[in-house]
Amino acid sequence: MSETLLAVESLDVHYGAIHALRQVSFEAKAGEIVSLIGSNGAGKSTLLRAISGLLRPSGGRIRLRGADVTRAAPEAIVALGCSHVPEGRRIFANLTVLENLQMGAWPGRAPEAAGIERVLTLFPRLKERLTQAGGTLSGGEQQMLAIGRALMAAPAVLLLDEPSLGLAPLLVRQIFEIVREIHAQGTTVVLVEQNAHQALRIAGRAYVLETGSLVLSGPADELARDPRVRRAYLGEAGSG
Ligand SMILES: Nc1ncnc2c1ncn2[C@@H]1O[C@H](COP(=O)(O)OP(=O)(O)OP(=O)(O)O)[C@@H](O)[C@H]1O
Ligand SMILES: [Mg+2]
């Protein structure tokens, strides 16, 4: 049995009166790619934001490598080995590519040359653009930079929020190939995607979130055959 790196137990999150996550339980074991699919507003980003300490849950527990991080600060969670690539990239537009990467190193630690080298090997396009301002990169390059920045902390678990959103098909394929490569190098990946086809193809296990609750989970290939998933997320006409 692989070690459980990330365990979310009966998590509740509220935004004021809005109950955004209800009793969500979720886990990722060492060596897995776990996908989380769901429609707009289902609570996918909320779950990632709670895991990475950006939101304070109203109930439940989050453990990272055995430590209770339910109320830990974002920097502490990065230091424990969990990095988050947020929805919409959120790179620093006025900093150069290199400076953006350096911001991703462990809090309070100088970035290691080996870390930068690893990222630039994964993303040769960034290597050619180290002195360019982040804001002038194309959408696909910005996504590569956002992933690269998160990798600078050498995370055990990488949380990816809609990495393919808004990208042309060729770039979507490239991003998924890079996710595979990051996984092959030993990083556990939690992938949030609206692109359910790709998300279920790349993952070993998957969860389906609907309006704040987990409604299905299991091996990704089984979910891809599930009639409910096919109708709701894989764009198939249903018979009822
Ligand atoms: N800061 C906020 N204040 C109030 N409500 C919020 C806030 N952020 C999210 N919500 C609400 O919480 C619910 C879940 O939002 P969330 O962003 O987690 O969905 P999502 O599954 O990531 O959707 P998408 O696929 O569109 O990114 C939505 O109903 C949303 O309107
Ligand atoms: Mg989202």
Side-chain angles (χ1 to χ4, degrees):
M1 249 354 264
S2 297
E3 178 199 1
T4 298
L5 291 183
L6 176 65
V8 170
E9 298 161 10
S10 305
L11 200 72
D12 279 279
V13 173
H14 287 81
Y15 294 107
I18 297 172
H19 199 168
L21 291 181
R22 296 168 189 268
Q23 296 284 301
V24 169
S25 295
F26 167 93
E27 65 173 21
K29 294 186 197 311
E32 283 195 304
I33 297 181
V34 181
S35 286
L36 180 65
I37 61 176
S39 314
N40 289 119
K44 305 177 300 295
S45 298
T46 299
L47 177 56
L48 295 194
R49 290 171 59 79
I51 291 168
S52 51
L54 300 168
L55 285 175
R56 184 62 56 95
S58 40
R61 190 144 65 161
I62 304 168
R63 288 172 198 276
L64 180 60
R65 301 168 117 179
D68 187 333
V69 295
T70 315
R71 279 164 186 77
E75 305 76 48
I77 290 166
V78 173
L80 265 171
C82 181
S83 295
H84 182 178
V85 182
E87 192 175 359
R89 290 95 163 153
R90 302 288 166 84
I91 59 161
F92 300 101
N94 297 321
L95 298 185
T96 66
V97 167
L98 181 60
E99 288 164 344
N100 267 280
L101 290 176
Q102 288 166 338
M103 296 291 288
W106 277 39
R109 268 222 202 163
E112 286 167 20
I116 292 188
E117 220 24 71
R118 175 192 178 202
V119 168
L120 297 181
T121 304
L122 269 174
F123 300 107
R125 284 169 77 151
L126 296 182
K127 193 166 191 165
E128 300 156 15
R129 293 173 170 77
L130 282 176
T131 58
Q132 192 173 325
T136 64
L137 296 176
S138 73
E141 290 160 359
Q142 290 192 16
Q143 185 62 62
M144 293 174 190
L145 180 55
I147 296 173
R149 184 179 59 187
L151 289 175
M152 288 294 295
V157 184
L158 184 66
L159 311 177
L160 290 168
D161 197 344
E162 310 240 20
S164 76
L165 192 69
L167 302 183
L170 182 64
L171 267 170
V172 171
R173 268 206 301 283
Q174 273 184 26
I175 293 287
F176 276 91
E177 273 165 28
I178 285 160
V179 172
R180 268 184 230 280
E181 176 62 26
I182 291 167
H183 172 250
Q185 291 178 6
T187 307
T188 297
V189 175
V190 175
L191 177 67
V192 161
E193 265 296 336
Q194 282 196 47
N195 187 336
H197 277 287
Q198 297 270 17
L200 292 175
R201 195 171 307 146
I202 198 172
R205 288 189 310 115
Y207 294 80
V208 180
L209 196 57
E210 277 178 10
T211 55
S213 301
L214 283 175
V215 293
L216 283 171
S217 65
D221 55 347
E222 283 179 22
L223 286 189
R225 288 193 300 268
D226 186 294
R228 289 165 289 180
V229 172
R230 297 176 77 92
R231 265 200 309 275
Y233 302 104
L234 298 175
E236 286 194 9
S239 50

PDB file of all heavy atoms in Angstrom, residues 1 5 37 44 52 55 79 129 133 140 161 178 186 201 209 220 234:
ATOM      1  N   MET A   1       0.851  -1.205   0.000  1.00  0.00           N
ATOM      2  CA  MET A   1       0.000   0.000   0.000  1.00  0.00           C
ATOM      3  C   MET A   1       0.880   1.246   0.000  1.00  0.00           C
ATOM      4  O   MET A   1       1.791   1.358   0.813  1.00  0.00           O
ATOM      5  CB  MET A   1      -0.781   0.009   1.315  1.00  0.00           C
ATOM      6  CG  MET A   1      -2.261  -0.211   1.364  1.00  0.00           C
ATOM      7  SD  MET A   1      -3.355  -0.350   0.041  1.00  0.00           S
ATOM      8  CE  MET A   1      -4.072   1.152  -0.274  1.00  0.00           C
ATOM      9  N   LEU A   5      -0.497  10.605   1.105  1.00  0.00           N
ATOM     10  CA  LEU A   5       0.190  11.892   1.278  1.00  0.00           C
ATOM     11  C   LEU A   5      -0.781  12.967   1.722  1.00  0.00           C
ATOM     12  O   LEU A   5      -0.468  13.797   2.561  1.00  0.00           O
ATOM     13  CB  LEU A   5       0.845  12.327  -0.032  1.00  0.00           C
ATOM     14  CG  LEU A   5       2.034  11.515  -0.496  1.00  0.00           C
ATOM     15  CD1 LEU A   5       2.609  12.119  -1.763  1.00  0.00           C
ATOM     16  CD2 LEU A   5       3.108  11.488   0.579  1.00  0.00           C
ATOM     17  N   ILE A  37     -13.225  16.107 -11.066  1.00  0.00           N
ATOM     18  CA  ILE A  37     -14.002  16.754 -12.122  1.00  0.00           C
ATOM     19  C   ILE A  37     -15.312  17.264 -11.556  1.00  0.00           C
ATOM     20  O   ILE A  37     -15.760  16.829 -10.488  1.00  0.00           O
ATOM     21  CB  ILE A  37     -14.239  15.825 -13.341  1.00  0.00           C
ATOM     22  CG1 ILE A  37     -15.021  14.572 -12.957  1.00  0.00           C
ATOM     23  CG2 ILE A  37     -12.915  15.438 -13.979  1.00  0.00           C
ATOM     24  CD1 ILE A  37     -15.350  13.690 -14.171  1.00  0.00           C
ATOM     25  N   LYS A  44     -14.512  22.847  -6.908  1.00  0.00           N
ATOM     26  CA  LYS A  44     -13.193  22.260  -7.153  1.00  0.00           C
ATOM     27  C   LYS A  44     -12.069  23.181  -6.676  1.00  0.00           C
ATOM     28  O   LYS A  44     -11.163  22.754  -5.947  1.00  0.00           O
ATOM     29  CB  LYS A  44     -13.016  21.958  -8.659  1.00  0.00           C
ATOM     30  CG  LYS A  44     -14.119  21.083  -9.242  1.00  0.00           C
ATOM     31  CD  LYS A  44     -13.950  20.852 -10.747  1.00  0.00           C
ATOM     32  CE  LYS A  44     -13.964  22.104 -11.604  1.00  0.00           C
ATOM     33  NZ  LYS A  44     -15.254  22.829 -11.609  1.00  0.00           N
ATOM     34  N   SER A  52      -4.542  24.106   0.374  1.00  0.00           N
ATOM     35  CA  SER A  52      -3.296  24.871   0.413  1.00  0.00           C
ATOM     36  C   SER A  52      -3.324  26.020   1.411  1.00  0.00           C
ATOM     37  O   SER A  52      -2.414  26.848   1.417  1.00  0.00           O
ATOM     38  CB  SER A  52      -2.877  25.321  -0.979  1.00  0.00           C
ATOM     39  OG  SER A  52      -3.931  25.955  -1.606  1.00  0.00           O
ATOM     40  N   LEU A  55      -7.934  29.106   2.361  1.00  0.00           N
ATOM     41  CA  LEU A  55      -9.275  29.252   2.925  1.00  0.00           C
ATOM     42  C   LEU A  55      -9.309  28.473   4.222  1.00  0.00           C
ATOM     43  O   LEU A  55      -8.721  27.398   4.319  1.00  0.00           O
ATOM     44  CB  LEU A  55     -10.319  28.615   2.009  1.00  0.00           C
ATOM     45  CG  LEU A  55     -10.704  29.342   0.737  1.00  0.00           C
ATOM     46  CD1 LEU A  55     -11.655  28.459  -0.063  1.00  0.00           C
ATOM     47  CD2 LEU A  55     -11.363  30.658   1.074  1.00  0.00           C
ATOM     48  N   ALA A  79       6.007  24.291   2.603  1.00  0.00           N
ATOM     49  CA  ALA A  79       7.213  23.723   3.215  1.00  0.00           C
ATOM     50  C   ALA A  79       7.041  22.240   3.533  1.00  0.00           C
ATOM     51  O   ALA A  79       8.010  21.476   3.521  1.00  0.00           O
ATOM     52  CB  ALA A  79       7.572  24.504   4.480  1.00  0.00           C
ATOM     53  N   ARG A 129      13.168  32.471 -22.547  1.00  0.00           N
ATOM     54  CA  ARG A 129      12.462  33.707 -22.214  1.00  0.00           C
ATOM     55  C   ARG A 129      12.717  34.170 -20.777  1.00  0.00           C
ATOM     56  O   ARG A 129      11.902  34.866 -20.181  1.00  0.00           O
ATOM     57  CB  ARG A 129      10.955  33.475 -22.387  1.00  0.00           C
ATOM     58  CG  ARG A 129      10.565  33.255 -23.825  1.00  0.00           C
ATOM     59  CD  ARG A 129       9.121  32.855 -23.986  1.00  0.00           C
ATOM     60  NE  ARG A 129       8.724  32.887 -25.395  1.00  0.00           N
ATOM     61  CZ  ARG A 129       9.045  31.957 -26.292  1.00  0.00           C
ATOM     62  NH1 ARG A 129       9.753  30.898 -25.941  1.00  0.00           N
ATOM     63  NH2 ARG A 129       8.644  32.073 -27.543  1.00  0.00           N
ATOM     64  N   ALA A 133       9.243  39.714 -19.356  1.00  0.00           N
ATOM     65  CA  ALA A 133       8.247  39.927 -18.294  1.00  0.00           C
ATOM     66  C   ALA A 133       7.167  38.859 -18.397  1.00  0.00           C
ATOM     67  O   ALA A 133       6.702  38.529 -19.497  1.00  0.00           O
ATOM     68  CB  ALA A 133       7.635  41.320 -18.431  1.00  0.00           C
ATOM     69  N   GLY A 140      -0.303  29.872 -22.971  1.00  0.00           N
ATOM     70  CA  GLY A 140       0.303  28.557 -22.726  1.00  0.00           C
ATOM     71  C   GLY A 140       1.614  28.684 -21.981  1.00  0.00           C
ATOM     72  O   GLY A 140       1.912  27.905 -21.070  1.00  0.00           O
ATOM     73  N   ASP A 161      -4.939  23.437 -10.833  1.00  0.00           N
ATOM     74  CA  ASP A 161      -6.324  23.879 -11.029  1.00  0.00           C
ATOM     75  C   ASP A 161      -6.539  24.302 -12.482  1.00  0.00           C
ATOM     76  O   ASP A 161      -6.113  25.370 -12.888  1.00  0.00           O
ATOM     77  CB  ASP A 161      -6.654  25.032 -10.072  1.00  0.00           C
ATOM     78  CG  ASP A 161      -8.164  25.243  -9.933  1.00  0.00           C
ATOM     79  OD1 ASP A 161      -8.916  24.729 -10.783  1.00  0.00           O
ATOM     80  OD2 ASP A 161      -8.583  25.917  -8.969  1.00  0.00           O
ATOM     81  N   ILE A 178       3.253  17.151 -20.063  1.00  0.00           N
ATOM     82  CA  ILE A 178       4.134  17.638 -19.001  1.00  0.00           C
ATOM     83  C   ILE A 178       3.660  17.140 -17.635  1.00  0.00           C
ATOM     84  O   ILE A 178       4.467  16.764 -16.786  1.00  0.00           O
ATOM     85  CB  ILE A 178       4.230  19.178 -19.077  1.00  0.00           C
ATOM     86  CG1 ILE A 178       5.141  19.558 -20.257  1.00  0.00           C
ATOM     87  CG2 ILE A 178       4.757  19.762 -17.779  1.00  0.00           C
ATOM     88  CD1 ILE A 178       4.957  20.956 -20.741  1.00  0.00           C
ATOM     89  N   GLY A 186       8.107  11.384 -10.117  1.00  0.00           N
ATOM     90  CA  GLY A 186       7.871  11.032  -8.724  1.00  0.00           C
ATOM     91  C   GLY A 186       6.937  11.946  -7.950  1.00  0.00           C
ATOM     92  O   GLY A 186       6.774  11.784  -6.736  1.00  0.00           O
ATOM     93  N   ARG A 201      -8.464  10.211 -18.501  1.00  0.00           N
ATOM     94  CA  ARG A 201      -7.485   9.395 -19.209  1.00  0.00           C
ATOM     95  C   ARG A 201      -6.146   9.385 -18.464  1.00  0.00           C
ATOM     96  O   ARG A 201      -5.461   8.369 -18.395  1.00  0.00           O
ATOM     97  CB  ARG A 201      -7.294   9.929 -20.635  1.00  0.00           C
ATOM     98  CG  ARG A 201      -6.598   8.945 -21.533  1.00  0.00           C
ATOM     99  CD  ARG A 201      -6.605   9.403 -22.980  1.00  0.00           C
ATOM    100  NE  ARG A 201      -7.937   9.736 -23.461  1.00  0.00           N
ATOM    101  CZ  ARG A 201      -8.176  10.708 -24.340  1.00  0.00           C
ATOM    102  NH1 ARG A 201      -7.207  11.440 -24.810  1.00  0.00           N
ATOM    103  NH2 ARG A 201      -9.406  10.932 -24.752  1.00  0.00           N
ATOM    104  N   LEU A 209     -17.345  15.995  -8.213  1.00  0.00           N
ATOM    105  CA  LEU A 209     -17.907  16.939  -7.249  1.00  0.00           C
ATOM    106  C   LEU A 209     -19.105  17.632  -7.895  1.00  0.00           C
ATOM    107  O   LEU A 209     -19.007  18.104  -9.026  1.00  0.00           O
ATOM    108  CB  LEU A 209     -16.812  17.955  -6.914  1.00  0.00           C
ATOM    109  CG  LEU A 209     -16.934  18.848  -5.700  1.00  0.00           C
ATOM    110  CD1 LEU A 209     -17.104  18.039  -4.415  1.00  0.00           C
ATOM    111  CD2 LEU A 209     -15.686  19.730  -5.575  1.00  0.00           C
ATOM    112  N   ALA A 220     -10.332   5.725 -12.435  1.00  0.00           N
ATOM    113  CA  ALA A 220     -10.718   6.658 -13.485  1.00  0.00           C
ATOM    114  C   ALA A 220     -11.338   5.938 -14.684  1.00  0.00           C
ATOM    115  O   ALA A 220     -12.276   6.429 -15.305  1.00  0.00           O
ATOM    116  CB  ALA A 220      -9.506   7.478 -13.915  1.00  0.00           C
ATOM    117  N   LEU A 234     -18.937  13.841 -20.175  1.00  0.00           N
ATOM    118  CA  LEU A 234     -18.223  13.431 -21.377  1.00  0.00           C
ATOM    119  C   LEU A 234     -19.029  13.728 -22.638  1.00  0.00           C
ATOM    120  O   LEU A 234     -18.731  13.232 -23.722  1.00  0.00           O
ATOM    121  CB  LEU A 234     -17.836  11.947 -21.303  1.00  0.00           C
ATOM    122  CG  LEU A 234     -16.894  11.611 -20.140  1.00  0.00           C
ATOM    123  CD1 LEU A 234     -16.635  10.108 -20.048  1.00  0.00           C
ATOM    124  CD2 LEU A 234     -15.565  12.344 -20.266  1.00  0.00           C
TER     125      LEU A 234
END
